[in-house]
Amino acid sequence: MSDSTETTPVTLEILQAMRRQGEKIACLTCYDASFTRVLESAGVDMFIIGDTLGMVLLGYASTAPVSMDDMIYHAASVARVGRHSYRVVDLPKGSYASPGQALANAELLVNQGGGHMVKLEGGAAQAAIVEYLVTRDIPVCGHIGLLPQSVSKAEDYRVQGRDAAAAAAILADARALQDAGAGLLVMECIPAGLGREITAAVSIPTIGIGAGPDCDGQVLVLYDMLGITMGRMPRFVRDFLQDTGSIPAAVAAYVRAVKDGSYPAARHCY
Ligand code: KIV
């Protein structure tokens, strides 16, 4: 944030103002207290306490086995020391199958996990659940494009919305989530042109991960951008540690690159 210190809490209103003013939102996943302090000192605006913790911390092959207890434990570790960044916590797979279940679990993520907002995956099909939560004072972030909770095979981790019909469906998903009251939208692994089109079509901040440079903000999995996730990385991942040599410097470089628009570059986009 250009006009705040790392102890000024970022709110949804501030994120909306950043969108209006064209200031890019720097977001990273975060799962524990030590990284919370490092990321906040570097001026990260927003955290996603994501169910990717199942893969990068807990050693699962996918996000599917992550439990509500896992999410509450890690979200609370972040909230205990967090003073600045806006905290979005994932509802894990299977925790929002009905409106009542979604509300009960979202309340746990807010009240015990200290989240400011919850995130769930899916587009128009989730609109009723989003509306149910928002009308009960639970802010919701949508997640469209690639939906890791629905991927069962490695080959399904691929770019979404490449043809006109698929792109139109994702745009319709974005509109349906906004109309249902979602306050933020994560867009994963879609062509840069579609990321630009959706960002222009909605009035809520869009946060891209492999969605091109024209989203209102960017997010990466923390361990991916520090180069410590083993295996083949998607093309949108940039290792910020290899050029900087320390974790605080890598995170500060990421924040700068998001803010000045140099990340993502063309080579990170579809
Ligand atoms: O689970 C997660 O960490 C996420 C981000 C990668 C967007 O959803």
Side-chain angles (χ1 to χ4, degrees), residues 7-66:
T7 53
T8 305
V10 176
T11 60
L12 184 55
E13 292 67 35
I14 288 176
L15 297 175
Q16 286 158 344
M18 290 171 73
R19 171 185 157 102
R20 282 195 302 277
Q21 291 156 11
E23 182 185 351
K24 297 284 185 188
I25 298 165
C27 176
L28 283 171
T29 68
C30 185
Y31 319 103
D32 71 23
S34 295
F35 272 115
T36 297
R37 294 192 177 103
V38 171
L39 271 49
E40 291 202 340
S41 299
V44 174
D45 301 304
M46 171 178 155
F47 296 155
I48 294 179
I49 296 94
D51 59 1
T52 44
L53 66 84
M55 299 162 88
V56 298
L57 297 186
L58 304 181
Y60 297 128
S62 76
T63 59
V66 173

Side-chain angles (χ1 to χ4, degrees), residues 27-31 48-53 63 71 90 119 121 143 148-149 186-188 207-209 219-222 224 236:
C27 176
L28 283 171
T29 68
C30 185
Y31 319 103
I48 294 179
I49 296 94
D51 59 1
T52 44
L53 66 84
T63 59
M71 295 309 305
D90 266 346
K119 176 164 82 60
E121 294 186 11
H143 184 145
Q149 290 178 4
V186 166
M187 309 196 290
E188 180 162 354
I207 310 293
I209 173 162
V219 60
L220 281 175
V221 171
L222 176 62
D224 294 352
F236 58 79

Side-chain angles (χ1 to χ4, degrees), residues 91-178:
L91 279 158
K93 183 176 172 121
S95 71
Y96 51 100
S98 67
Q101 187 198 26
L103 180 62
N105 284 321
E107 283 176 343
L108 289 172
L109 295 180
V110 171
N111 297 333
Q112 292 185 21
H116 298 122
M117 179 179 264
V118 300
K119 176 164 82 60
L120 51 78
E121 294 186 11
Q126 300 294 0
I129 298 231
V130 171
E131 189 171 354
Y132 190 83
L133 295 180
V134 171
T135 54
R136 284 158 184 80
D137 293 330
I138 303 280
V140 179
C141 176
H143 184 145
I144 56 174
L146 180 68
L147 307 177
Q149 290 178 4
S150 308
V151 169
S152 51
K153 306 186 292 302
E155 56 269 31
D156 291 336
Y157 281 99
R158 57 186 156 79
V159 187
Q160 307 292 303
R162 278 217 194 264
D163 64 62
I170 296 174
L171 175 58
D173 282 340
R175 289 199 164 110
L177 291 168
Q178 167 170 270

Side-chain angles (χ1 to χ4, degrees), residues 159 162 233-238 263 265-270:
V159 187
R162 278 217 194 264
M233 286 293 104
R235 69 181 284 163
F236 58 79
V237 173
R238 175 172 153 196
Y263 176 79
R267 69 179 184 283
H268 303 118
C269 299
Y270 302 106

Side-chain angles (χ1 to χ4, degrees), residues 70-87:
D70 295 329
M71 295 309 305
I72 293 167
Y73 176 91
H74 287 283
S77 308
V78 173
R80 213 164 278 133
V81 302
R83 301 286 177 269
H84 169 67
S85 311
Y86 191 71
R87 295 186 294 273

